[in-house]
């Protein structure tokens, strides 16, 4: 039998994850040694006996065999919460590709000295009726921030200060003013005691509809039977998904189980958090980016100690070490923010399913516009599918108009606003209602299209749009295909073949020209360098200090502005023609979400979608709010091209300070992958290598290739082979990154 070796970390105090040391696994210990197990090892010159954790196992020695010591024994009491975390780290490393240390750091909390935590709570002083009266007065004076606080306190006697500040978008100065006026008291409570526990809990309870309780009971029945499932709840916003989550968690908690709730940070709204606080009081904790490392560590310690039942947070909340985890909920499971952008580039959905299987927990995914991945698997019976079709309450869907920009050009309108949109903006200004104008520009890499017929220049091999480069070249960033930019449209012969160049600034300028009296706010990466400026803009818009908010995709998510009755999407094609295979999916999701921003209050909403491709299925189905129609067409495209989720795709990115070295290694790695495929006669496809879409960042050159295969594990093996190849290389100044089923093109 071949020798086996274990990487052991001897000092795993959380603040400092040390580098692993390699030890031989004696034959007699055999299969009892695997990642997560505690072992005794001889350490240092004196061979002192130390306890360490196994973080990796392999059949390859990294050092001469006689230099490698042997593990002395397996620690029988070895299965701790930490063991489970290490097993997760090991899985991340294998499944997504990263160093052991990077994987451990993803999973283990950073321990840091914690200054005494201060949590402030806000208590109302006069009674609720007086606050409501005062809120009316504030509203008349257009002091809407004050009014928001007063109304919130009229509903809840005590609220966490953070919740008001962050989620109601209220400035500290406003809070101080209200305190001076005698409306409220701001008090400091030491150490993580959740103030909401004092809240009035005898509020009316919602009675779940039969559709809702059927889902809750079904999930719980599978769980109790010892066959926990992954399920997908497909239901439009407002269909009652969150109530289902709450119902499941409540039953789990009653059984002594714990719950992790993932919600993208941008969707963690005041109302949502309040619902969790009210249901679970100080047994719930929220994790978000405003917490310091120390505060995060503290929460994790509380979770381990059994002081919490529910944790809510973005991606990283997944690694909360609950000893009796019962369910993981992934709300808005289609969100791109669930994919980590640094190694290991894990996806929270897949990782949740893995963690749940370790604990025998259930997984509940929810979305109004499910990812193709989730819906595909639900259709195939891998996940259980629940459809929620009715909406609670009477909020109506907005009216959607699709405007063909080619027609506008024909009629001599070269403005960024179509006649329809201009007309509706004017109406809103006269009615004192608000408008949001949305320009999706993220990842926009200079696609070229015809203004007369809408034809988009695409790669003949990959069916994604080509990107315009200097020197009049059009380049495919999957396969490297290139062609010379043409003067006229190959489809209709028009000379209006050009890149789309309007930015948010140009739109604000156009508004100034056409609506000189309108008050306009702009929100994009330039105007929101700091977290505060982002909140300031949102608060100003919520306070109706502006009539029109112009922004990038950051304005479409999570925010409810009841006075917004018009949403304009200026160029829906921008996201459609991103040079990657998820462009159609992302466009459909963005348009559906953006449309959902209109008419949140009592007033009905209208949406204008401006596009050069009104016949594109993403746009047609988004306008019709027809998820299934969209899914059928999109999955057919993925099937045809063998893109995920039908097959799997691994992106290998080589980053190097030296262009030649990077290109060389990238070429070699692509050849290794291709050879392997040949050897095993696998139906593996290697695409590229090519220069990345952004060929150079910070003086580092980027080269990329893609590998496609129907079986994910085959790609994991390719990744392992490439890692092995790199280990034997003296490649200095070059790093290799792996990204499975990437969300973006490189
Ligand atoms: P989603 O999470 O799908 O957007 P929510 O769970 O937030 O939907 O429900 C939308 C609204 O309908 C919320 O205000 C919620 O309180 C209310 N609601 C949902 N289910 C019920 C119910 N069974 N009875 C009363 N109100 C409900
Ligand atoms: Zn044309
Ligand atoms: Zn191509």
């Amino acid at each position: 039998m071949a020798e086996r070796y274990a990487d052991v970390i001897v000092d795993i105090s959380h603040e400092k994850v040390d580098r692993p040391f390699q030890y031989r696994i004696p034959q007699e210990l055999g299969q009892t040694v695997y990642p997560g197990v505690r072992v005794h090892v001889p350490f240092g010159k004196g061979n002192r006996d130390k306890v360490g954790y196994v973080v990796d196992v392999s059949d390859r020695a990294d050092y001469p065999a006689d230099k490698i010591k042997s593990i002395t024994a397996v620690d029988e009491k070895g299965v701790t919460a930490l063991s489970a975390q290490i097993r997760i780290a090991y899985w991340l490393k294998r499944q997504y590709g990263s160093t052991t240390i990077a994987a451990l750091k993803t999973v283990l909390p950073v321990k840091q000295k914690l200054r005494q935590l201060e949590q402030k709570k806000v208590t109302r002083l006069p009674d609720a009726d007086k606050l409501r009266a005062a809120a009316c007065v504030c509203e008349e004076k257009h002091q809407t921030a004050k009014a928001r606080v007063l109304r919130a306190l009229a509903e809840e006697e005590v609220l966490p200060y953070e919740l008001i500040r962050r989620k109601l978008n209220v400035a500290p100065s406003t809070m101080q003013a209200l305190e001076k006026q005698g409306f409220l008291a701001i008090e400091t409570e030491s150490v993580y005691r959740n103030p909401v526990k004092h809240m009035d809990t005898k509020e009316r309870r919602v009675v779940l509809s039969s559709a809702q309780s059927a889902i809750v009971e079904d999930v719980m029945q599978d769980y109790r039977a010892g066959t926990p499932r992954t399920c997908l709840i497909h239901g439009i916003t407002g269909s009652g998904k969150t109530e289902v989550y709450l119902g499941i968690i409540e039953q789990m908690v009653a059984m002594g189980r714990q719950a992790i709730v993932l919600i993208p940070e941008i969707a963690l709204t005041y109302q949502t958090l309040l619902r969790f606080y009210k249901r679970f009081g100080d047994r719930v904790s929220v994790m978000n980016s405003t917490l310091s490392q120390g505060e995060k560590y503290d929460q994790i310690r509380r979770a381990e100690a059994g002081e919490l039942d529910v944790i809510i947070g973005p991606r990283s909340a997944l690694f909360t070490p609950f000893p009796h985890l019962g369910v993981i909920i992934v709300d808005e499971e289609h969100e791109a923010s669930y994919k980590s952008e640094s190694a290991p580039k894990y996806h929270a959905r897949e990782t949740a399913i893995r963690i749940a299987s370790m604990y025998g927990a259930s997984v509940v995914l929810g979305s109004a516009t499910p990812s193709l991945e989730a819906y595909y698997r639900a259709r195939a019976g891998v996940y259980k599918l629940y459809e929620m079709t009715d909406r609670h309450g009477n909020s109506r869907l907005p009216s959607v108009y699709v405007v063909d920009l080619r027609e506008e050009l024909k009629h001599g309108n070269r403005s960024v606003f179509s006649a329809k949109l201009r007309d509706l903006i004017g109406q809103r200004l006269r009615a004192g209602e608000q408008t949001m104008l949305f320009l999706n520009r993220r990842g926009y890499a200079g696609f070229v299209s015809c203004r007369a017929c809408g034809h988009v220049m695409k790669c003949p091999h990959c069916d994604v749009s080509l990107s315009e480069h200097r020197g009049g070249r059009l380049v495919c960033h999957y396969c490297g295909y290139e062609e010379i930019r043409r003067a006229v449209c190959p489809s209709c012969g028009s000379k209006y073949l050009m890149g789309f160049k309007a930015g948010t600034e140009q739109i604000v300028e156009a508004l100034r020209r056409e609506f000189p009296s309108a008050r306009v706010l702009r929100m994009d990466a330039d105007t929101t360098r700091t977290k505060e400026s982002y909140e300031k803009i949102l608060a100003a818009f919520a306070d109706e200090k502006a009539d029109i908010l112009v922004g990038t995709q950051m304005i479409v998510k999570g925010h409810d502005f009841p006075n917004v009755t018009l949403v304009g999407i200026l160029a829906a094609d921008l996201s459609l023609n991103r040079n990657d295979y998820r462009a159609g999916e992302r466009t459909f999701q963005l348009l559906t979400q953006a449309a959902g921003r209109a008419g949140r209050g009592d007033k009905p909403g209208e949406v204008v979608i401006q596009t050069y491709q009104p016949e594109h299925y993403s746009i047609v189905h988004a306008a019709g709010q027809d998820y299934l129609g969209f899914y059928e067409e999109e999955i057919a495209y993925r099937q045809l091209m063998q893109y995920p989720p039908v097959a799997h795709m691994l992106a290998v990115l080589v980053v190097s300070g030296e262009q030649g070295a990077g290109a060389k290694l990238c070429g070699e790695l692509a050849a290794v992958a291709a050879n392997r495929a040949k050897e095993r006669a696998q139906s593996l496809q290697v695409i590229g290598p090519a220069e990345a879409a952004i060929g150079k960042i910070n003086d580092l050159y980027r080269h990329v290739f893609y590998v496609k295969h129907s079986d994910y594990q085959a790609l994991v093996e390719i990744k392992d082979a490439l890692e092995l190849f790199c280990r034997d290389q003296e490649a200095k100044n070059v790093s290799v990154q792996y990204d499975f089923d990437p969300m973006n093109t490189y």
Side-chain angles (χ1 to χ4, degrees), residues 597-610:
R597 296 297 107 196
R600 284 299 177 113
D602 320 319
K603 298 167 220 158
E606 288 180 299
V607 178
V608 176
I609 299 177
Q610 300 190 158

Side-chain angles (χ1 to χ4, degrees), residues 450 453 489 492:
C450 172
C453 79
C489 171
C492 76

Side-chain angles (χ1 to χ4, degrees), residues 206-209 212 236-243 275 392:
V206 298
V207 178
L208 292 184
S209 68
Q212 287 170 320
I236 55 170
T237 309
S239 60
K241 296 186 295 296
T242 306
E243 289 302 332
R275 282 160 82 182
H392 264 277

